[in-house]
Amino acid sequence: MIIYFSATGNTQYVAEQIAAVTGDKLVSIRQEISKNAHDFTLAENESFGLVTPTYFAGLPSIVQEFFDALNLKVEGGKHYSYLVTTFAGNPGNIGAFTEAAFKKFGLDLSASFGIMMVSNWTPYFDLNDKDYLQRTESKVEPNTKAVVAQIVNKAEVHLPKNFTDEECATFRARYEDFRHTNKFTVSEKCVGCGKCARQCPLNVIKIENKHPVWAKEICALCFGCLHTCPVNAINFDGKTEGRGQYKNPRVKKII
């Protein structure tokens, strides 16, 4: 079983590559949330993988909340359980967060892997930088194949902790602050198409009078809305205008 969350396609691509080789079942967090489905069974000898981006040195809120609500029946003994995270700078301490999430079900984290990919965090990364895009994209396929091979061989390796607990707590506090949706604005370029609302995995965005409105105070901060907008009308905290958009070119539809 491979559980994944993807906003702009990076982790979906990785999860699909793993499943193509292992034959394991893919479980999309966004789909399961839309169905309000949280009950799963892990069969004896079945591997259990989480594929997720790193947000502010840890798990995205949507992933953490899914695991908090998850009812996972684990059959049999030891299972190969792993994390694959996509990141831009470094994977922070996400391994520790995942280990804690797995322990709830009596699963040890057998391995953790990281793949550097293009970031959709445009307050920091300028996606008009063609050198950055080309340099990063050129390593995605070989790095993904290497990780898949390690998973097939059930390698037991782990990502290091990149921050002290105090530093990590600071990153997580910043994440909670940034999640406030009043930081999003929409320019006059908006055409009222509703794609941002359909993309939002938590149904935070509503269309009122042909205009998007963030109807909840906080969101997952996945930036799916910003990168889906066909006219790039969504701005975050006054820092993303003109800094480009991104969707993994290997993924046709975000699921």
Side-chain angles (χ1 to χ4, degrees), residues 4-6 12 16 27-31 251 253-255:
Y4 76 92
F5 168 69
S6 190
Q12 181 175 322
E16 289 173 345
V27 176
S28 163
I29 287 179
R30 71 164 59 235
Q31 280 193 331
V251 173
K253 182 180 179 181
I254 308 299
I255 299 173

Side-chain angles (χ1 to χ4, degrees), residues 4-5 15-16 27 46 55 69 71 74 77 79 111 124 150-151 154 188 192 203 206 211 214 217 224-225 228 237-238:
Y4 76 92
F5 168 69
E16 289 173 345
V27 176
E46 183 180 1
Y55 283 11
N71 179 24
V74 179
H79 297 264
Y124 184 83
Q150 287 181 292
I151 291 171
K154 297 186 176 180
E188 68 280 359
N203 295 318
K206 308 296 181 183
H211 195 80
W214 277 256
E217 291 185 1
C225 59
T228 297
D237 203 28

Side-chain angles (χ1 to χ4, degrees), residues 119-181:
S119 176
N120 71 11
W121 184 246
T122 46
Y124 184 83
F125 291 90
D126 186 353
L127 299 181
N128 298 308
D129 184 344
K130 293 182 180 179
D131 288 339
Y132 164 66
L133 294 175
Q134 184 176 10
R135 183 173 65 251
T136 307
E137 287 282 9
S138 68
K139 299 176 183 178
V140 169
E141 289 190 18
N143 289 348
T144 301
K145 287 180 180 179
V147 167
V148 173
Q150 287 181 292
I151 291 171
V152 170
N153 292 325
K154 297 186 176 180
E156 296 192 0
V157 296
H158 289 278
L159 295 167
K161 289 178 68 174
N162 288 275
F163 303 108
T164 66
D165 290 344
E166 292 77 12
E167 290 170 331
C168 190
T170 299
F171 278 110
R172 300 306 288 175
R174 289 176 62 193
Y175 178 40
E176 292 304 313
D177 175 56
F178 278 134
R179 288 177 63 199
H180 286 85
T181 58

Side-chain angles (χ1 to χ4, degrees), residues 11-79:
T11 45
Q12 181 175 322
Y13 165 74
V14 173
E16 289 173 345
Q17 296 308 298
I18 299 170
V21 175
T22 64
D24 291 337
K25 176 185 177 181
L26 282 173
V27 176
S28 163
I29 287 179
R30 71 164 59 235
Q31 280 193 331
E32 299 307 318
I33 287 176
S34 69
K35 297 184 296 185
N36 197 29
H38 295 91
D39 297 328
F40 295 90
T41 298
L42 187 66
E44 186 172 2
N45 297 322
E46 183 180 1
S47 294
F48 185 73
L50 170 64
V51 186
T52 177
T54 296
Y55 283 11
F56 290 80
L59 290 170
S61 62
I62 188 173
V63 175
Q64 184 65 64
E65 290 163 7
F66 179 80
F67 270 83
D68 289 344
L70 180 62
N71 179 24
L72 180 68
K73 180 182 178 182
V74 179
E75 298 180 339
K78 181 177 173 59
H79 297 264

Side-chain angles (χ1 to χ4, degrees), residues 3 29 48-55 57-60 63-64 67-68 70 72 80-86 91-114 157-159 161 168 172:
I3 295 177
I29 287 179
F48 185 73
L50 170 64
V51 186
T52 177
T54 296
Y55 283 11
L59 290 170
V63 175
Q64 184 65 64
F67 270 83
D68 289 344
L70 180 62
L72 180 68
Y80 182 67
S81 304
Y82 62 88
L83 160 73
V84 182
T85 185
T86 59
N93 294 9
I94 194 171
F97 287 91
T98 303
E99 186 174 13
F102 281 19
K103 279 191 179 299
K104 173 184 175 182
F105 313 106
L107 295 170
D108 293 326
L109 183 62
S110 307
S112 53
F113 310 94
V157 296
H158 289 278
L159 295 167
K161 289 178 68 174
C168 190
R172 300 306 288 175

